Amino acid sequence: MRWFTRTAARLGAVPLIITGLAVLGPAAPSAVGASQPRIEKDVFGSTPDGAAVDRYTLTNGRGMRVRILTYGGIIQSIEVPDRRGRTANVALGFDNITDYVESSPYFGSITGRYANRIANGRFTLDGVTHQLALNDGVNHLHGGTVGFDKRIWRAAEIRDRDAVGLELTYTSPDGEENYPGALDVTVTYRLTRDNTIHVDYRATTDAPTVVNLTNHTYFNLGGEGSGSIEDHRLTLDASRYTPVNDTLIPTGAIDSVAGTPMDFRRPTAIGERVRDGFEQLVIGRGYDHNYVLDRRDDTSLEQAARVIDPDSGRVLTIRTTEPGIQFYSGNFLDGTLVGTSGRIYRQGDGFALETQHFPDSPNQPQFPSTELRPGDTYRTSTTYQFSTDRG
Ligand code: BGC
């Protein structure tokens, strides 16, 4: 638990919100318009068991609009201007609650209690073995059968001088999905005037447990439903990654990316080497790997990834306090889902970059710890900054 404790202590001392007003360029002309930041609420629908789902629309007055659902804390859409000021929604999703409940591959959601996989759904903590749901073949994935992505979160609006946001809270009872300890979770989304979404995660527990939270947005910087992301140029600030076995569980090795198609230290098109026959890409049907970030320390917000869409000129820069990032090239999208704008999503039509601790950490003592104990506070932060290559 030392990692989180140190993080908590150090992060508490630094402002997590980078307002960046000094670096703001002229307001981008766009359909969303230049105006005051605002937040509005409407009803998105109700789940099949009758729970009401609200949708909050955050507008920053600088061309960006972000929609968030109380179901799963889902980022339903992210509207961003391109290099000519034309706005598109760059987050994959649905226009109705039923599809989110019945068929979402975690589009935009908060994933937990444990994002990513735990081998055989089993881990031992303080001598007690916990058996979790096997919802991904022989493994546990993204918190189980009813994870945080399927819970209704309580929402409170935030109106700061430089941001609008939403504070989402959820209390996961002791034993939910067979995880030990009651977990109080707060996830805060803030949209600032420098076109950045800030996500802060916080959790406390009343008994020893494991936690790994992330947001599972799939991006397509050309606009969701516009086709493949294989031309997007990706940079990952990672010289190592955790190779996986044929069920996508880390083997325990931490390998260098040098000389392999896993190397994104320089901007490289996602599709350039994805068909190379490299064994890890065969196993994952593409990229589906945790990268070990080249961090200066284990507490500050540091750049993890940058993605450029050469067509639209949109650029996404991701910074995080986390030690890892899962790069998933949308391999399991198979043309069966119809997205927000009515177009189907095929393989490679979106990518996810999930900031997180490493997969299967509860069974891999050499990985950074994901244990959380009473009295400690889990705290991590990630930011998604949007810009254009001429902005
Ligand atoms: C995993 C993929 C999985 C996807 C949707 C990603 O985080 O790495 O293997 O298919 O989530 O569940």
Side-chain angles (χ1 to χ4, degrees), residues 89-164:
N89 169 19
V90 299
L92 275 62
F94 299 116
D95 67 356
N96 67 89
I97 187 65
T98 309
D99 284 347
Y100 278 110
V101 173
E102 289 177 0
S103 42
S104 181
Y106 304 91
F107 284 155
S109 62
I110 299 169
T111 40
R113 293 187 187 193
Y114 198 96
N116 217 313
R117 293 176 172 81
I118 295 178
N120 304 308
R122 198 159 48 236
F123 67 96
T124 301
L125 185 59
D126 298 345
V128 182
T129 298
H130 303 274
Q131 179 63 58
L132 309 170
L134 305 183
N135 59 326
D136 185 62
V138 295
N139 299 318
H140 179 82
L141 176 69
H142 294 331
T145 314
V146 187
F148 290 175
D149 58 295
K150 297 182 185 66
R151 303 285 174 189
I152 305 267
W153 293 66
R154 264 192 318 277
E157 297 179 12
I158 299 170
R159 286 186 180 80
D160 286 345
R161 205 176 126 255
D162 304 312
V164 283

Side-chain angles (χ1 to χ4, degrees), residues 144-342:
T145 314
V146 187
F148 290 175
D149 58 295
K150 297 182 185 66
R151 303 285 174 189
I152 305 267
W153 293 66
R154 264 192 318 277
E157 297 179 12
I158 299 170
R159 286 186 180 80
D160 286 345
R161 205 176 126 255
D162 304 312
V164 283
L166 208 57
E167 182 185 80
L168 296 171
T169 49
Y170 176 67
T171 298
S172 176
D174 179 30
E176 184 176 82
E177 287 289 329
N178 274 357
Y179 285 96
L183 194 74
D184 278 316
V185 189
T186 303
V187 177
T188 307
Y189 292 112
R190 282 187 177 81
L191 173 64
T192 50
R193 288 169 69 84
D194 59 345
N195 283 359
T196 303
I197 302 170
H198 300 248
V199 191
D200 297 322
Y201 302 85
R202 191 176 171 283
T204 54
T205 183
D206 66 0
T209 191
V210 296
V211 191
N212 188 30
L213 304 176
T214 193
N215 176 278
H216 206 293
T217 296
Y218 292 60
F219 298 95
N220 183 325
L221 298 181
E224 61 79 32
S226 69
S228 171
I229 49 80
E230 287 196 9
D231 289 345
H232 285 36
R233 295 170 71 76
L234 169 67
T235 309
L236 288 172
D237 297 82
S239 26
R240 295 174 301 159
Y241 74 109
T242 52
V244 289
N245 69 19
D246 60 3
T247 70
L248 299 180
I249 292 292
T251 61
I254 295 186
D255 282 359
S256 167
V257 297
T260 77
M262 308 306 285
D263 192 349
F264 283 94
R265 287 173 296 176
R266 292 175 189 284
T268 309
I270 290 173
E272 192 173 308
R273 302 160 301 180
V274 74
R275 295 176 184 80
D276 274 9
F278 186 67
E279 190 192 7
Q280 284 294 312
L281 296 178
V282 175
I283 290 174
R285 301 193 191 182
Y287 296 97
D288 197 353
H289 294 85
N290 169 63
Y291 281 76
V292 178
L293 293 168
D294 294 334
R295 301 188 54 86
R296 286 191 302 276
D297 59 55
D298 57 8
T299 57
S300 47
L301 204 53
E302 292 179 31
Q303 183 171 313
R306 192 174 174 88
V307 190
I308 300 173
D309 170 27
D311 286 345
S312 67
R314 291 192 187 90
V315 180
L316 166 63
T317 305
I318 301 180
R319 299 182 177 85
T320 190
T321 61
E322 288 278 22
I325 192 165
Q326 180 87 6
F327 168 41
Y328 171 56
S329 52
N331 316 326
F332 299 109
L333 296 173
D334 60 2
T336 55
L337 302 176
V338 179
T340 317
S341 60

Side-chain angles (χ1 to χ4, degrees), residues 355-387:
T355 55
Q356 55 173 6
H357 271 52
F358 305 172
D360 199 34
S361 298
N363 295 308
Q364 311 245 10
Q366 74 283 19
F367 289 172
S369 174
T370 50
E371 291 174 19
L372 181 67
R373 293 182 181 275
D376 288 335
T377 302
Y378 170 101
R379 250 184 234 274
T380 71
S381 297
T382 295
T383 65
Y384 305 85
Q385 179 166 34
F386 293 91
S387 56

